[in-house]
Amino acid sequence: MSNITFTLNHNVVTIDIDPTKRLLDVLRNDFHLTGSKEGCGEGECGACAILLNGKAINSCLLPVGSVQGQDVVTIEGLSQSRQGQALSDAYRDEGAVQCGICTPGMLIASHALLLENPHPTDDEIRIGLSGNLCRCTGYNMIVKAVKKASEDGEGLW
Amino acid sequence: MVEHFLPTTLTETLDILDTNKVEIIAGGTDLMVQRRTWANTLPKFDQTINIIHVKELNFIRQEGSKLHIGATTSYTTLLQHPDVPQLLKDCISVLASPALRNIATIAGNIGNASPAGDTLPILYLYDAIIELSSKHRVRYVPIQDVIVGPRKTTIEYNELITSIILPLHDFSTVRFDKVGGRKADAISKISMAAAARIEDGVIEDIRFAFGAVGPIIVRDTGIEEELLGRTIEDIPDVLPTILSSIASRITPIDDQRSNKNYRSNVALNLLQDFLLTL
């Protein structure tokens, strides 16, 4: 066990934990932040995506020791921000949510993309979201939603 | 007592490696999958050392005609760096997914030693030198002497991959092909890295290396040499010999991702296409 201290959704937290435990399990079971989902558990679906220092990461692949001293934002944190709100509005307006399991990871990947590229083309959106699977296959609506968020949220990213 | 180490300096890391039996985690994107068990259950590790916080290992530095890449440098950092060769960038841009590339490392590709490791054909093509450090010495080993079989390396228990050294070349053509079941996040069925320097229609330098068609990456400099000094126009004449030489060097297998016939045919087609479009 080790004391791991990091910033979680803008608050400094410390937890005494096995540093090889998956960040996804720590978020869901120790911090009760269940927005991040486990889909495949092997880095192929992106449902567990979180932001590590502003970049999308699959939390199912990250030992919690790797976030020592780092900045972690989950979907719960993102949704409290203006960017998160703009993204959820756009996802709602474009009908980009079907069963919803992929949505937290899609929103994280969308935000991470817009942070790097505030005006992405359709192709750039598809590449930006290429690590996230939607089992309902609602990709066209998701791509449109990211486009809409980038337009409606002009200046936020 | 089981310990999981989280060092922040290289000295500390090499001290720990020298006196403890530990598995090394950098990005963790391979190991965490190999050792996963079930939701909210610890991955199966005995003792580990997580080197991601060792800042001295996170760098990209050009020294003369060589590029030095630190062991914990992420693929995303490489993709965005001006000094990284285009061939390596072409490979990284189709490797895994943006989220994986944010944390995964080339050193991990080497340590994991999968025959399908996407950057490995490029390291062979560039004659990369791997810097292996222990508390007692540093040694510089050519990539083909580091990886000796699927998941088998000659890295000693107390050694750490500290950097990857790429001799830079002025190729006029580079190409990376990856054949997988999906564009993102696919483990390659076959991959090929190829590069050439053509001057006034004459082949001055040519290299090609294949992934996932044998227990280790396949590159045969003897076959490449048969093309040196020839002109582009000569290629159709020597092509059958080149292809049959490569066919005799590759030993693809049937597995859940592909089969040996497909792998063999596609590997040869990729090489043919590369050579005929020079």
Side-chain angles (χ1 to χ4, degrees):
Chain A
M1 303 290 273
S2 305
N3 271 323
I4 305 292
T5 299
F6 61 105
T7 306
L8 178 57
N9 294 333
H10 315 297
N11 297 311
V12 176
V13 295
T14 298
I15 185 167
D16 186 26
I17 197 132
D18 185 307
T20 64
K21 190 168 178 177
R22 304 184 308 170
L23 177 63
L24 174 66
D25 291 327
V26 175
L27 294 172
R28 289 181 57 86
N29 297 285
D30 297 287
F31 288 102
H32 309 293
L33 296 171
T34 53
S36 310
K37 308 298 184 210
E38 176 156 16
C40 65
E42 52 187 47
E44 293 189 13
C45 78
C48 65
I50 54 96
L51 296 164
L52 176 65
N53 303 326
K55 289 184 153 71
I57 297 279
N58 293 328
S59 65
C60 77
L61 299 180
L62 203 65
V64 65
S66 294
V67 304
Q68 167 76 39
Q70 312 298 306
D71 180 53
V72 172
V73 173
T74 66
I75 187 61
E76 288 86 352
L78 176 64
S79 62
Q80 297 301 309
S81 68
R82 290 179 65 201
Q83 294 108 320
Q85 197 53 54
L87 277 165
S88 29
D89 288 349
Y91 269 60
R92 182 198 58 215
D93 293 349
E94 294 291 348
V97 179
Q98 294 183 55
C99 86
I101 287 281
C102 74
T103 310
M106 286 285 181
L107 289 166
I108 291 281
S110 304
H111 175 63
L113 168 68
L114 292 172
L115 281 175
E116 279 192 10
N117 180 357
H119 303 104
T121 62
D122 284 11
D123 274 357
E124 287 167 342
I125 294 170
R126 286 179 190 274
I127 292 169
L129 302 183
S130 59
N132 297 69
L133 294 179
C134 167
R135 198 221 70 109
C136 309
T137 70
Y139 295 104
N140 291 341
M141 291 88 93
I142 294 170
V143 172
K144 278 186 191 157
V146 177
K147 194 98 177 188
K148 185 169 168 50
S150 81
E151 289 158 9
D152 295 354
E154 181 64 48
L156 289 178
W157 285 281
Chain B
M1 197 185 92
V2 170
E3 274 203 79
H4 296 294
F5 298 94
L6 281 172
T8 54
T9 68
L10 182 56
T11 310
E12 201 187 338
T13 304
L14 298 181
D15 278 344
I16 294 165
L17 282 173
D18 208 52
T19 48
N20 295 273
K21 193 168 182 299
V22 286
E23 287 185 276
I24 302 165
I25 300 176
T29 54
D30 278 313
L31 268 181
M32 291 296 281
V33 176
Q34 289 160 14
R35 305 306 168 78
R36 82 187 171 117
T37 51
W38 198 243
N40 204 31
T41 312
L42 290 176
K44 281 186 191 149
F45 287 111
D46 291 328
Q47 300 204 105
T48 65
I49 182 168
N50 183 331
I51 60 167
I52 205 74
H53 302 300
V54 181
K55 290 204 171 57
E56 298 145 275
L57 294 174
N58 192 342
F59 62 85
I60 301 171
R61 212 169 38 228
Q62 190 169 337
E63 288 176 16
S65 61
K66 294 191 172 74
L67 191 70
H68 295 243
I69 301 167
T72 62
T73 310
S74 74
Y75 284 123
T76 299
T77 305
L78 287 162
L79 198 54
Q80 293 168 348
H81 197 279
D83 296 337
V84 171
Q86 191 56 44
L87 180 56
L88 186 52
K89 288 187 177 181
D90 290 347
C91 167
I92 293 172
S93 65
V94 294
L95 182 156
S97 64
L100 265 285
R101 297 197 287 265
N102 284 337
I103 192 87
T105 65
I106 295 195
N109 239 190
I110 299 167
N112 193 46
S114 158
D118 277 331
T119 60
L120 299 180
I122 293 172
L123 299 184
Y124 278 68
L125 184 146
Y126 271 94
D127 297 318
I129 303 291
I130 312 307
E131 182 187 72
L132 300 172
S133 304
S134 72
K135 188 179 177 177
H136 310 284
R137 63 171 178 172
V138 178
R139 58 190 184 116
Y140 295 89
V141 186
I143 181 72
Q144 70 271 18
D145 297 334
V146 174
I147 298 177
V148 291
R151 314 220 175 271
K152 287 196 182 70
T153 71
T154 54
I155 303 168
E156 301 283 343
Y157 72 94
N158 64 346
E159 283 181 325
L160 179 72
I161 299 171
T162 37
S163 74
I164 292 105
I165 303 166
L166 280 192
L168 296 172
H169 295 276
D170 209 6
F171 295 122
S172 49
T173 306
V174 294
R175 171 161 166 175
F176 181 77
D177 287 297
K178 165 174 176 155
V179 181
R182 172 183 163 200
K183 276 194 180 171
D185 282 332
I187 296 176
S188 292
K189 298 176 187 200
I190 306 117
S191 63
M192 180 187 78
R197 184 164 52 85
I198 314 287
E199 281 174 22
D200 301 325
V202 177
I203 301 170
E204 300 290 343
D205 190 357
I206 190 158
R207 302 158 185 229
F208 28 86
F210 298 87
V213 291
I216 53 172
I217 301 301
V218 175
R219 180 180 172 208
D220 188 328
T221 51
I223 300 172
E224 295 168 1
E225 278 164 18
E226 289 177 36
L227 287 160
L228 292 182
R230 292 185 187 270
T231 63
I232 303 291
E233 288 77 34
D234 289 342
I235 289 178
D237 299 333
V238 293
L239 188 63
T241 320
I242 300 292
L243 292 181
S244 72
S245 304
I246 286 291
S248 68
R249 288 283 284 108
I250 61 177
T251 51
I253 56 164
D254 293 331
D255 65 9
Q256 75 275 24
R257 276 187 287 281
S258 188
N259 62 63
K260 53 187 173 192
N261 288 337
Y262 180 83
R263 285 185 156 119
S264 177
N265 284 327
V266 173
L268 296 180
N269 287 348
L270 289 173
L271 180 59
Q272 173 169 318
D273 192 56
F274 169 68
L275 293 174
L276 293 180
T277 53
L278 277 172

